[in-house]
Amino acid sequence: GEVAAVSDEAAAEGIKVGDRVAYSVFGSYAEYTAVPSAKLLPVPDEVEIDVATSCVVQGLTAHYLVTSAHADLIKEGEWCLIHGVGGGTCQWAAQMAKIRGYKVIGTCSKGKEENCKTLGCDELIALDEVPGTAFEDYESMDIVEKVMEVTDGKGCKAVIDGIGKSTVDISINSLAHRGIFVSFGNASGAVPAFPVLRLIGKSAYVTRPKLLDYTTNREELVWRADEIFGWLKEGRLNVSVDTSFPLEEAAEGHLYLEAGKSRGKVLYKI
């Protein structure tokens, strides 16, 4: 949004009324929000404000997933499996992974396949939908077999998984030797506990990261945002804002998300 008022401290840092900014500090919805100046991200004029809004959580999450969470265990030219590329965060992640030089396998539902074809995945695995929903049915085909076919039997050096319970076995079994399973979400339920001995077959790694640990200071936050905004200005990222709801229809927006209908970011307008 736009800065409506500034404190003396914020003004001393160069923040002005009317500045276009993005932020995420408020766990609810409101017309005005008091935001610490350290949490504000200046939005370039070339970036639309709805796209910038999508960047704050989904974009920053995708960025840390493909740049940092894998601990450099994947290198340029190696395979990365990303589940749910039809959703908001992993639409960003698939494109950023390609920018980073990885080869990408994406999974999505058949209902979102056409949208996902624009993401640049080297291989797109389109799955049947769970009856009565828009969610992928991860039991509708042998994904591990397909991954091994695509990667010439080597598997993926990194698996980015925001699905959780439904995909944990697929993710672990799709890893290459010394690959890393990055489990960042629980869309289908929390990943159940499993013995670490299970990773011995491929000397694999597993991590369960969160955004706050990858934006620990102002410098890191701005670095990530600046890189994302730079890719947007260059036209290297195609961000999908799926739909917007008036703020008074917030409940309908939540139901839309819970049904798995989103094909990108869902926003509320004031």
Side-chain angles (χ1 to χ4, degrees):
E2 291 187 0
V3 175
V6 296
S7 65
D8 292 340
E9 294 84 354
E13 295 178 20
I15 297 169
K16 305 181 298 299
V17 171
D19 283 353
R20 301 169 76 245
V21 295
Y23 62 90
S24 177
V25 297
F26 191 51
S28 186
Y29 312 116
E31 187 173 358
Y32 295 97
T33 312
V35 184
S37 57
K39 298 293 185 180
L40 290 175
L41 298 174
V43 177
D45 291 338
E46 300 90 339
V47 177
E48 296 294 332
I49 203 68
D50 58 348
V51 172
T53 302
S54 305
C55 166
V56 180
V57 175
Q58 291 185 337
L60 290 172
T61 296
H63 189 275
Y64 89 74
L65 289 172
V66 303
T67 61
S68 305
H70 52 62
D72 290 331
L73 292 168
I74 180 172
K75 307 298 182 186
E76 187 173 337
E78 295 181 324
W79 284 101
C80 176
L81 171 63
I82 304 177
H83 289 302
V85 297
T89 297
C90 285
Q91 281 189 15
W92 291 77
Q95 295 175 84
M96 291 181 188
K98 289 299 299 177
I99 291 172
R100 297 276 295 179
Y102 310 144
K103 292 187 286 188
V104 176
I105 301 171
T107 66
C108 68
S109 67
K110 288 181 178 177
K112 298 180 180 180
E113 183 177 5
E114 288 305 310
N115 281 7
C116 294
K117 286 180 179 178
T118 66
L119 302 177
C121 295
D122 298 274
E123 183 73 27
L124 188 62
I125 301 175
L127 305 167
D128 292 338
E129 296 173 351
V130 176
T133 79
F135 294 112
E136 302 94 336
D137 181 355
Y138 284 95
E139 296 181 354
S140 63
M141 71 172 293
D142 190 333
I143 296 174
V144 176
E145 181 180 37
K146 183 64 176 178
V147 166
M148 290 303 170
E149 175 189 328
V150 170
T151 62
D152 296 324
K154 295 179 180 178
C156 296
K157 294 296 287 187
V159 177
I160 295 174
D161 185 347
I163 305 300
K165 184 178 179 180
S166 296
T167 49
V168 56
D169 293 334
I170 295 167
S171 295
I172 292 174
N173 293 333
S174 295
L175 287 171
H177 284 90
R178 290 161 62 177
I180 185 167
F181 168 35
V182 182
S183 175
F184 79 97
N186 310 305
S188 65
V191 173
F194 62 86
V196 70
L197 189 63
R198 184 175 177 186
L199 304 173
I200 196 172
K202 298 178 180 178
S203 294
Y205 300 81
V206 63
T207 182
R208 202 336 180 161
K210 65 180 186 294
L211 177 58
L212 288 176
D213 288 330
Y214 287 88
T215 51
T216 54
N217 54 52
R218 175 73 178 165
E219 182 180 10
E220 186 173 33
L221 177 67
V222 171
W223 163 63
R224 295 193 188 282
D226 284 352
E227 190 155 75
I228 295 167
F229 287 143
W231 290 336
L232 286 167
K233 288 191 293 183
E234 294 166 5
R236 303 176 74 185
L237 279 177
N238 177 27
V239 178
S240 174
V241 176
D242 178 37
T243 190
S244 298
F245 290 87
L247 186 58
E248 56 268 24
E249 296 178 11
E252 285 78 2
H254 280 267
L255 292 172
Y256 185 83
L257 288 170
E258 289 169 12
K261 295 179 180 179
S262 169
R263 298 169 187 262
K265 186 68 174 176
V266 175
L267 302 175
Y268 292 121
K269 284 192 173 181
I270 298 174

